[in-house]
Amino acid sequence: MYSDEFIERVRSNTNIQRVFEAKGITLKKSGADLVCKCPFHADKKPSLHVNLTKGLWNCFGCGEGGDAIQFVRMAYGYSFREAVEYLANAANIPIEQERQLSQAEIEEQQKREVLLNAMDVVADFYVSTLWDDKSEEAKKALEAASNRWDKDFLQQYRIGYAPSTQDALIQYAYTKGISAELLLELGMAKYNKKGNLVDTFRSRIMIPIRRRSGRYVAFTGRTLSTNDEVPKYLNNTTTPLFDKDTTVFGMDVAAGPAIRADVMYLVEGAPDVLRLHLIGVKNTVACLGSAWTDNQLRQLKNCTTKLCFIPDADPPNLEATNIRDKHGIGIQAVIKNAKKAISLGFTVMVKEIPVGEKQDSPRKFSYFKQDPDSYFTSLDKFNKTGEKDFIIWYADKILDPNQATSANANAIDELAELIASQDIESQIPVYIDALHGIYPGRQTWKKAIDKAIGERARQSLSKDVDGIDILSE
């Protein structure tokens, strides 16, 4: 078993073009990519694209793709270990000594497999209950789920139903040799106030949460109850298999399409992901909350460095006097997440949907929340909803054209710093033109951006100087 550091060193030192050429495959330039006929299917035209910057390849004909390791595995029939060794030798990287797993690590792996197998059983139970349970509530659940999605989609995504009885899953699990302790550890059972062991999820449509490999790690359940005091959605608690801060919902489906499209769409919740997958936007994922973590964002870099956030459209705060405070929580969440993504090296766009609006009387309007799940009823509607570069979109949210430059100074400096933080020198004139259209003043913008770039250069130089050991000279 090789360390993650060694495998990453092999990846970063591998020239994927030479890997293809070593197999006798000639790559030709096509736009930003290199292309060739795919060796893995009867390709009549160059369908396989290679991105040298990312070290990734993808065939638009058969759907295969991945990094250099995956290509070597498929081209030569190697195991993962053999492919890593092949590339290490090609890059003149000494093969590290494989570390033997300790007994504790072996037992941990075995326990994890037991937990994953148990989750497979739980998923089977929920799916079979949705389709086979003849109770009135089960029929209601199937009708509600079928109205929200279609039946083919339900079966493809393995959406299920948790019955209202207190221990239906527990009793089923017993028949499959799964103990109560295991269900407790997985967060699928709990003790109620009376001390009785009960199912965690009851009377809910069950949406599975899977890791990128497709294995089940958790669930999110939508209530069938009309009681406003019952949470609409309930997620698994943290377990040995599931941590909300490191799990990206939808990656099992979205990874491949995101590599092919070279963009990933980011939404807030599982229902939003399912809606976009249903209409054909498969390269969509969610963080199961409003805040993306560094860990979650870094996982996306294995697919693409281009992100497009789709915020929930919450009603604005019309009473706010500060322009920044007028935006709904969905907009504010995307602003924080997008800044974090830019700091991690992503190119960021925003696709904004409108706030719902209805006329209550001839002179009175009211606003209501819309989200990707409720708004995007078709692929055509999705495609017609425009996308903006984050910095330009953000400028429109924080600049007040009715105020003097001094009142907008902080916003101007912040936007200039965002531009300076990216390696986009050739695009600066484009940014200045766009920002001038929002808040006039080309020289103001040029001066602010030049200042921000200069400050970053001084900070970088300062760090370099701090790292020099003058006494060694």
Side-chain angles (χ1 to χ4, degrees), residues 375-391:
Y375 184 75
F376 290 122
T377 53
S378 68
L379 182 59
D380 182 61
K381 194 170 187 179
F382 177 87
N383 290 334
K384 287 181 178 177
T385 303
E387 297 174 9
K388 281 187 177 182
D389 176 276
F390 168 74
I391 294 175

Side-chain angles (χ1 to χ4, degrees), residues 143-154 159 205 207 222 233 270-271 274-275 278 373:
E143 181 181 3
S146 299
N147 288 338
R148 192 178 188 88
W149 305 289
D150 59 52
K151 290 187 176 181
D152 288 341
F153 187 86
L154 294 178
I159 293 170
I205 294 172
I207 300 169
R222 190 188 193 286
Y233 286 95
L274 296 181
R275 171 60 54 190
L278 177 64
D373 179 33

Side-chain angles (χ1 to χ4, degrees), residues 67 126 136 142 146 151 156 191 263 283 311 320 340 389 401 423 446 452 460:
D67 60 9
Y126 289 142
E136 287 303 313
L142 181 57
S146 299
K151 290 187 176 181
Q156 181 184 354
Y191 287 102
V263 64
N283 50 324
K340 181 180 291 186
D389 176 276
D423 186 18
K446 186 178 186 306
S460 178

Side-chain angles (χ1 to χ4, degrees), residues 103-129:
Q103 185 59 35
E105 289 173 323
I106 293 173
E107 291 175 358
E108 183 181 350
Q109 280 191 354
Q110 292 172 341
K111 177 61 182 294
R112 193 172 186 83
E113 190 61 28
V114 168
L115 293 172
L116 288 168
N117 290 337
M119 288 300 279
D120 289 342
V121 172
V122 172
D124 288 343
F125 169 75
Y126 289 142
V127 171
S128 63
T129 304

Side-chain angles (χ1 to χ4, degrees), residues 13-156:
N13 284 276
T14 294
N15 183 320
I16 195 169
Q17 181 176 357
R18 291 178 181 172
V19 174
F20 273 75
E21 290 173 347
K23 188 63 177 172
I25 298 172
T26 301
L27 296 170
K28 295 182 179 180
K29 186 73 173 174
S30 177
D33 293 341
L34 298 176
V35 299
C36 66
K37 290 184 179 180
C38 179
F40 305 119
H41 78 285
D43 198 3
K44 296 182 179 179
K45 60 181 181 179
S47 300
L48 192 150
H49 287 237
V50 177
N51 187 308
L52 292 180
T53 303
K54 298 176 183 176
L56 298 174
W57 62 278
N58 178 75
C59 178
F60 290 86
C62 65
E64 294 291 353
D67 60 9
I69 296 174
Q70 178 64 12
F71 177 81
V72 170
R73 292 185 68 183
M74 294 183 64
Y76 297 94
Y78 287 169
S79 66
F80 182 84
R81 180 181 61 80
E82 290 169 335
V84 170
E85 291 175 355
Y86 171 89
L87 293 173
N89 288 327
N92 294 316
I93 298 173
I95 303 295
E96 76 170 6
Q97 187 67 35
E98 284 194 81
R99 183 176 63 83
Q100 296 297 316
L101 294 178
S102 67
Q103 185 59 35
E105 289 173 323
I106 293 173
E107 291 175 358
E108 183 181 350
Q109 280 191 354
Q110 292 172 341
K111 177 61 182 294
R112 193 172 186 83
E113 190 61 28
V114 168
L115 293 172
L116 288 168
N117 290 337
M119 288 300 279
D120 289 342
V121 172
V122 172
D124 288 343
F125 169 75
Y126 289 142
V127 171
S128 63
T129 304
L130 177 66
W131 295 98
D132 300 335
D133 192 322
K134 303 304 179 184
S135 68
E136 287 303 313
E137 188 182 64
K139 292 177 182 178
K140 176 184 174 183
L142 181 57
E143 181 181 3
S146 299
N147 288 338
R148 192 178 188 88
W149 305 289
D150 59 52
K151 290 187 176 181
D152 288 341
F153 187 86
L154 294 178
Q155 292 175 333
Q156 181 184 354

Side-chain angles (χ1 to χ4, degrees), residues 303-322:
C303 304
T304 180
T305 55
K306 296 177 184 177
L307 306 180
C308 183
F309 286 91
I310 308 178
D312 284 358
D314 301 282
N317 180 5
L318 299 178
E319 297 180 0
T321 55
N322 187 316

Side-chain angles (χ1 to χ4, degrees), residues 352 427 447:
E352 184 177 356
Q427 298 179 44
K447 183 178 178 181

